[in-house]
């Protein structure tokens, strides 16, 4: 397949490389699946014969995104999403590397399953696709999985997806053992007992709607326990999705004390707040729930300062039948890979965060965290590159989304800016025309 | 949603989904009309014809005796054909039936659906899927608008204007749609609203809904004009929200001694069904200050007023 990878020259671009904190007008040359040069004035004369020359007309050229938390229904829930459809959606959203959750059916908790999805992905996906493996067998929170063998098979990290491990002893042992293999533990920090019947953020809005609230303490209690265990064991620990200002204090303290702790938040939690639930909009039911506006602002500030390392889609396709229900009975989850970057640009346009910082949290940092190539425009890096139009307004039409499910909280929303070209390993896999 | 207006171009005016959004004028107009129905309901010939030819379906996903019979009687007295449907939530997987049931019933061309459901927001969801008028007869812990209207009518008949009255609502606020609808209505009408409950039965954020919050019942009752008691579900009494019914009654049950903290002419209400000896002492429930039986009578009148108002917005009215 290497033969159809013609060199590509992206000219008249605004080159934004968050890995080097660079933002300058210039050109970028891609050949043999690698970035050759990124500088001012490469020009058509200095490129190999047969190079495809693309005039970017001032659009942004940036590293492709790495999305570290997405549900893909293959195997077991192909009606929700397949590796192929997820990768199409990813390409359309500028995501060149997708990391899937292990809560498939069956669960990805043994090496053969890792092997299976990676082979399926190689045959059907158009972006780089990786998987995490389960932290405990069957996601049951009781026995740890084979970290060594799973890692050798290609699992990037260990997580029980949207389940929290409530037994602190199990978590301690898992972290202790993971440390020996330098395995990364990714954990959903929500105490299920404190969540109880809760379905949205606890507070005035939940009280008015007559819905049971989820207190922020459900998150901070679990996060606090985890970071202390991380300090105790020396394990590499990553909080999968934090949502409130109080968690940032916990995180800040943990990082200051030298624990190897990182954290992500989802695009939903930095662009929406609890009021989006409005009159029982189930597309805005996510887990953990959307929080208050003050929390959203605090998360954005933490993203800008680097306290939160990664911004992810938390892509979770749910079909109509699990969403067209009374709010409390509807499944949580929102799709997000395709709209993640455009939604994130809202923050840039509102001057809440600089473009480089936003892109760093979606490309450079997640790639570093998982030890993946990409996330940089440095010469010699893998040619996972996006061309981004920052300005053009568009309205999200669920029918045009590539994902198999249409449960987007940005249904009919006006967004500014979108990915117009996605290049994976030097090959254009998506073009918006 | 202004249900009393004849012109109802948009969908929201077809339904009564909650007290939220109703204006003081609309509420007053409904209560005035209900007052007239109180008189006709006391006549020998109670039958009217405003809803003649109309089909009303009472769709109850949650068991109810008094609300369902009250709506049934209200519809029949206005001349509608009334059908009762009780959908047991255990027989079919919860929620799954809601949209399907709505679509099925809609195909039978009812004019008015009266719906009760155990999930907050479920009635609104159903209303979006049907062409007829929908009345919320209670959705989860969200709203129960006709209960608030009948409470308001009862108060008005005994105390005059609601404005500036002090109304204390006591009990399980967290799980109560009656409390929410009453808080909204009483605030709209200009009453001073207090809530009294142990903190485990108060939803966080309730203080932003225009109420004064008390944990000590005697303080909450001080100089109150109206004392509204709420039912405490049995499953919440034994350790999950309060330690026991004995302790609950000791601190939050309405007995003679506590009632003495309210104004001497204070009146006592309860939406029913009562747990005598848990949230209210029998002597108080049946005493001279109790309006509990009158509330039931007002229920039919208020529901007639609501049914009539909505029927005016139906096509071909």
């Amino acid at each position: 397949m290497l033969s159809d990878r013609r060199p590509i020259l992206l000219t008249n671009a605004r080159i934004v490389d968050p890995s080097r904190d660079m933002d300058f007008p210039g050109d970028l040359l891609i050949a043999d699946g690698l970035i050759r040069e990124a500088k001012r004035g490469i020009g058509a004369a200095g490129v190999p014969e047969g190079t495809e020359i693309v005039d970017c007309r001032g659009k942004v050229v940036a590293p492709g995104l790495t999305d570290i938390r997405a549900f893909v229904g293959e195997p077991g829930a192909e009606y929700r999403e397949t590796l192929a459809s997820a990768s199409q959606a990813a390409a359309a959203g500028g995501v060149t590397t997708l990391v899937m959750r292990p809560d498939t059916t069956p669960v990805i908790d043994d090496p053969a399953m890792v092997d299976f999805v990676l082979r399926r992905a190689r045959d059907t996906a158009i972006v780089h696709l990786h998987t995490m493996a389960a932290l405990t067998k069957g996601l049951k929170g009781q026995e740890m999985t084979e970290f060594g063998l799973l890692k050798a098979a290609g699992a990037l990290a260990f997580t029980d997806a949207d389940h929290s491990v409530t037994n602190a002893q199990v978590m301690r042992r898992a972290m202790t053992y993971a440390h020996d293999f330098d395995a990364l533990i990714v954990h959903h920090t929500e105490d299920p007992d404190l969540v109880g019947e809760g379905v949205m953020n606890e507070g005035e809005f939940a009280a008015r709607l007559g819905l049971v609230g989820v207190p922020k303490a459900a998150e901070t209690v679990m996060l606090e326990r985890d970071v202390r265990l991380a300090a105790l064991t020396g394990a590499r620990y990553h909080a999968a999705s934090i949502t409130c200002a109080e968690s940032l204090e916990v995180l800040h303290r943990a990082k200051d004390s030298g624990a190897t702790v990182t954290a992500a938040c989802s695009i939903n939690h930095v662009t929406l707040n609890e009021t989006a639930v409005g009159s029982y909009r189930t597309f805005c039911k996510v887990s953990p729930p959307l929080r208050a506006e003050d929390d959203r602002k605090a998360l954005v500030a933490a993203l800008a300062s680097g306290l939160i390392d990664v911004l992810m889609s938390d892509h979770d396709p749910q079909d109509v039948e699990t969403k067209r229900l009374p709010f409390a009975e509807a499944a949580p989850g929102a799709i997000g890979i395709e709209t993640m970057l455009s939604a994130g640009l809202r923050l840039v346009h509102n001057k809440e965060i600089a473009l480089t910082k936003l892109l760093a949290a979606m490309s450079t940092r997640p790639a570093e965290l998982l030890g993946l190539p990409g996330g940089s425009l440095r010469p010699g890096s893998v040619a996972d590159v996006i061309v981004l139009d920052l300005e053009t307004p568009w309205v999200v039409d669920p029918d045009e989304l590539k994902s198999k499910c249409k449960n987007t909280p940005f249904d009919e929303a006006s967004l500014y800016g979108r990915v117009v070209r996605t290049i994976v390993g030097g090959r254009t896999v998506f073009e918006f025309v | 949603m202004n249900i009393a207006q004849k012109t109802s171009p948009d969908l929201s005016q077809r339904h009564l989904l909650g007290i939220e959004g109703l204006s003081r004028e609309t509420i007053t107009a409904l209560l005035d009309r209900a007052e007239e129905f109180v008189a006709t309901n006391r006549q020998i010939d109670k039958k009217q014809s405003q809803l003649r030819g109309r089909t009303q379906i009472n769709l109850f996903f949650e068991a109810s005796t008094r609300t369902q019979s009250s709506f049934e009687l209200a519809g029949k007295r206005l001349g509608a054909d009334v059908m009762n449907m009780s959908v047991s939530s255990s027989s079919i997987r919860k929620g799954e039936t809601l949209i399907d049931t709505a679509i099925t019933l809609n195909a039978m061309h009812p004019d008015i659906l009266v719906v009760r459901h155990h999930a907050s927001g479920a009635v609104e969801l159903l209303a979006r899927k049907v062409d007829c008028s929908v009345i919320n007869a209670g959705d989860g812990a969200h709203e129960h608008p006709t209960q608030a209207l009948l409470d308001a009518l009862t108060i008005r008949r005994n105390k005059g204007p609601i404005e500036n009255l002090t109304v204390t609502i006591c009990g399980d606020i967290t799980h109560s749609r009656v409390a929410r609808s009453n808080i909204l209505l009483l605030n709209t009408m200009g009453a001073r609203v207090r809530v009294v409950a142990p903190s485990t039965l108060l939803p966080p954020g309730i203080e932003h809904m225009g109420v004064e919050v008390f944990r000590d019942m005697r303080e909450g009752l001080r100089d109150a004009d109206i004392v509204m008691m709420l039912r405490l579900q049995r499953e919440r009494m034994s350790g999950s929200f309060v330690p026991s019914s004995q302790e609950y009654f000791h601190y939050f049950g309405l007995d003679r001694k506590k009632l003495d903290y309210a104004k001497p002419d204070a009146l006592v209400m309860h939406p029913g069904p009562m747990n005598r000896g848990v949230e209210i002492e029998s002597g108080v429930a049946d005493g001279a200050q109790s309006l509990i039986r009158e509330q039931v009578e007002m229920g039919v009148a208020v529901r007639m007023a609501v049914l009539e108002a909505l029927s005016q917005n139906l096509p071909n009215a």
Side-chain angles (χ1 to χ4, degrees):
Chain A
M1 295 291 275
L2 284 178
S3 57
D4 69 354
R5 271 198 307 210
R6 288 166 65 197
I8 303 172
L9 179 69
L10 303 170
T11 66
N12 295 321
R14 175 181 163 194
I15 308 277
V16 178
D17 184 359
S19 74
R20 293 178 290 171
D21 202 20
M22 287 164 88
D23 183 346
F24 62 95
D27 308 330
L28 183 108
L29 177 64
I30 292 166
D32 304 324
L34 299 175
I35 292 166
R36 289 293 173 207
E37 278 183 290
K39 64 176 189 185
R40 199 184 285 262
I42 294 176
V47 300
E49 204 172 321
T51 298
E52 178 187 1
I53 296 172
V54 180
D55 186 349
C56 295
R57 298 166 198 260
K59 292 189 182 72
V60 167
V61 167
L65 311 183
T66 291
D67 185 8
I68 68 168
R69 189 175 167 87
F71 177 87
V72 178
E74 193 170 347
E78 286 83 355
Y79 65 98
R80 281 165 67 188
E81 201 81 281
T82 60
L83 293 159
S85 67
S87 76
Q88 301 276 348
V95 173
T96 50
T97 300
L98 185 62
V99 183
M100 63 184 273
R101 288 176 10 183
D103 53 334
T104 47
T105 313
V107 173
I108 302 175
D109 60 0
D110 77 38
M113 282 298 298
V114 174
D115 192 56
F116 167 78
V117 292
L118 294 182
R119 279 170 194 271
R120 271 298 280 173
R122 186 194 60 196
D123 294 344
T124 62
I126 60 168
V127 303
H128 306 297
L129 205 140
H130 296 275
T131 188
M132 293 188 268
L135 177 62
T136 64
K137 288 172 190 161
L139 311 174
K140 291 200 171 79
Q142 285 155 9
E143 299 163 44
M144 69 177 106
T145 54
E146 300 162 325
F147 295 165
L149 295 175
L150 286 162
K151 199 176 173 197
L156 287 183
F158 298 86
T159 183
D160 274 358
D162 56 358
H163 296 55
S164 290
V165 176
T166 49
N167 186 323
Q169 179 69 295
V170 170
M171 192 55 144
R172 183 198 171 169
R173 291 235 173 88
M175 284 196 193
T176 305
Y177 191 75
H179 183 53
D180 292 348
F181 288 90
D182 193 31
L184 178 69
I185 287 185
V186 177
H187 197 222
H188 180 86
T189 46
E190 263 197 326
D191 182 306
D193 294 318
L194 280 172
V195 171
E197 303 286 300
V199 292
M200 76 173 288
N201 186 37
E202 185 172 280
E204 183 192 348
F205 292 98
R208 282 183 185 277
L209 291 170
L211 294 172
V212 184
V214 179
K216 295 176 191 176
E219 178 173 310
T220 50
V221 164
M222 187 63 87
L223 182 66
E224 185 73 57
R225 180 202 77 175
D226 284 359
V227 297
R228 282 171 191 269
L229 291 177
L232 177 69
T233 59
R236 286 202 295 136
Y237 172 86
H238 175 79
S241 176
I242 64 167
T243 64
C244 61
E246 289 81 348
S247 290
L248 297 172
E249 291 170 30
V250 178
L251 191 61
H252 190 79
R253 219 173 338 105
K255 285 190 169 188
D256 265 7
S257 73
T260 42
V261 168
T262 53
C265 63
S266 88
I267 188 67
N268 303 316
H269 292 96
V270 294
T271 54
L272 301 167
N273 63 34
E274 58 185 344
T275 62
V277 170
S279 56
Y280 306 99
R281 283 188 68 205
T282 57
F283 283 8
C284 292
K285 181 179 178 181
V286 291
S287 169
L290 297 175
R291 299 290 186 187
E293 175 63 7
D294 286 347
D295 292 304
R296 188 196 69 79
K297 284 185 181 153
L299 291 179
V300 176
L303 205 55
S305 75
L307 178 59
I308 293 177
D309 303 83
V310 173
L311 183 58
M312 48 82 192
S313 73
D314 209 5
H315 185 75
D316 191 356
Q318 296 287 350
D319 79 340
V320 173
E321 295 315 315
T322 55
K323 280 291 189 184
R324 219 174 51 169
L325 291 174
F327 196 86
E329 293 165 10
I335 57 167
I337 314 183
E338 284 176 88
T339 48
M340 169 165 71
L341 184 49
S342 295
L345 288 176
R346 269 191 183 172
L347 306 176
V348 175
H349 292 307
N350 293 342
K351 310 231 180 300
E352 292 182 82
I353 192 170
L355 179 63
T356 358
K357 299 282 185 197
L358 179 77
L359 291 173
M362 291 199 269
S363 59
T364 311
R365 290 293 292 127
E368 283 170 2
L369 179 68
L370 296 177
L372 293 168
S376 175
L377 297 180
R378 237 182 265 274
S381 301
V382 61
D384 295 343
V385 176
I386 54 175
V387 181
L388 178 59
D389 175 346
L390 288 181
E391 309 296 338
T392 308
W394 61 293
V395 174
V396 179
D397 176 356
D399 288 340
E400 286 179 12
L401 296 176
K402 310 239 186 273
S403 182
K404 281 195 160 187
C405 292
K406 309 298 178 189
N407 55 310
T408 168
F410 296 98
D411 195 357
E412 316 262 295
S414 298
L415 298 174
Y416 289 83
R418 72 188 307 158
V419 173
V420 293
R421 182 188 285 257
T422 303
I423 299 168
V424 175
R427 199 178 294 122
T428 300
V429 296
F430 170 80
E431 228 182 316
F432 177 73
V433 280
Chain B
M1 77 204 84
N2 184 346
I3 61 170
Q5 270 180 11
K6 259 199 155 166
T7 50
S8 57
D10 70 78
L11 191 93
S12 62
Q13 302 200 354
R14 277 219 325 260
H15 311 305
L16 177 66
L17 299 176
I19 295 297
E20 188 164 24
L22 290 188
S23 69
R24 197 166 178 159
E25 292 67 33
T26 305
I27 292 167
T28 305
L30 280 170
L31 297 182
D32 290 347
R33 185 68 180 128
E35 195 85 58
E36 295 171 25
F37 285 123
V38 173
T40 60
N41 282 339
R42 289 177 177 178
Q43 298 168 8
I44 291 176
D45 182 4
K46 305 172 180 68
K47 194 85 170 176
Q48 316 236 341
S49 60
Q50 289 90 325
L51 259 63
R52 193 165 58 198
R54 299 292 187 189
T55 304
Q56 172 190 335
I57 300 180
N58 297 335
L59 177 60
F60 279 62
F61 291 89
E62 202 181 63
S64 154
T65 328
R66 76 182 61 203
T67 306
Q68 185 166 336
S69 50
S70 181
F71 267 111
E72 182 177 355
L73 215 46
K76 284 180 170 166
R77 286 192 180 159
L78 290 173
D81 293 315
V82 184
M83 185 178 104
N84 288 315
M85 261 189 81
S86 298
V87 186
S88 152
S89 53
S90 57
S91 59
I92 322 168
R93 220 192 86 215
K94 278 184 197 171
E96 199 174 47
T97 57
L98 182 62
I99 303 285
D100 287 343
T101 312
I103 291 167
T104 306
L105 288 179
N106 194 47
M108 300 179 192
H109 299 290
D111 300 288
I112 296 173
L113 272 178
V114 178
V115 186
R116 169 170 289 187
H117 196 279
H118 52 266
S120 301
V123 178
E124 187 173 330
L125 176 65
L126 184 141
R128 281 187 230 131
K129 306 289 174 189
V130 296
D131 304 311
C132 61
S133 285
V134 174
I135 299 174
N136 182 359
D139 65 321
H142 180 223
E143 281 233 45
H144 188 357
T146 56
Q147 177 71 43
L149 287 165
L150 77 87
D151 287 341
L153 182 62
T154 310
I155 294 171
R156 212 176 71 162
R157 285 169 61 91
N158 289 279
K159 289 283 179 191
I162 293 169
E163 190 161 9
N164 295 324
L165 290 178
T166 298
V167 181
T168 302
I169 306 175
C170 307
D172 184 357
I173 310 291
T174 294
H175 302 97
S176 177
R177 51 194 172 221
V178 175
R180 282 176 182 75
S181 285
N182 265 310
I183 289 168
L184 293 166
L185 184 145
L186 292 167
N187 266 304
T188 304
M189 301 308 282
R192 283 188 297 268
V193 188
R194 299 174 179 171
V195 294
V196 176
S199 294
T200 45
L201 295 175
L202 285 168
I206 187 75
E207 63 279 7
H208 300 297
M209 282 186 76
V211 297
E212 236 186 310
V213 180
F214 295 85
R215 273 89 181 175
D216 182 328
M217 192 162 179
R218 288 164 304 184
E219 281 175 46
L221 289 182
R222 203 178 296 279
D223 298 324
D225 296 290
I226 299 285
V227 184
M228 267 185 195
M229 299 307 298
L230 299 172
R231 178 182 168 81
L232 181 66
Q233 300 283 352
R234 220 156 261 287
E235 63 269 24
R236 292 176 184 132
M237 290 176 210
S238 52
S240 56
F241 288 85
V242 294
S244 70
S245 55
Q246 287 82 349
E247 175 150 328
Y248 185 76
F249 183 71
H250 184 78
Y251 291 102
F252 297 98
L254 187 66
D255 54 18
R256 190 66 252 168
K257 265 169 75 184
K258 293 199 197 82
L259 184 55
D260 284 342
Y261 283 86
K263 282 190 183 159
D265 61 347
L267 295 171
V268 176
M269 302 172 75
H270 193 297
M274 283 182 280
N275 290 307
R276 292 170 183 263
V278 176
E279 70 254 359
I280 191 163
E281 190 182 73
S282 270
V284 173
D286 305 326
Q289 287 170 269
S290 169
L291 294 175
I292 297 171
R293 260 178 301 174
E294 186 173 340
Q295 284 175 274
V296 179
E297 183 187 357
M298 294 310 114
V300 179
V302 151
R303 285 165 184 134
M304 288 171 77
V306 168
L307 286 167
E308 184 194 52
L310 286 181
S311 73
Q312 288 169 1
N313 292 339
L314 289 170
N316 309 316

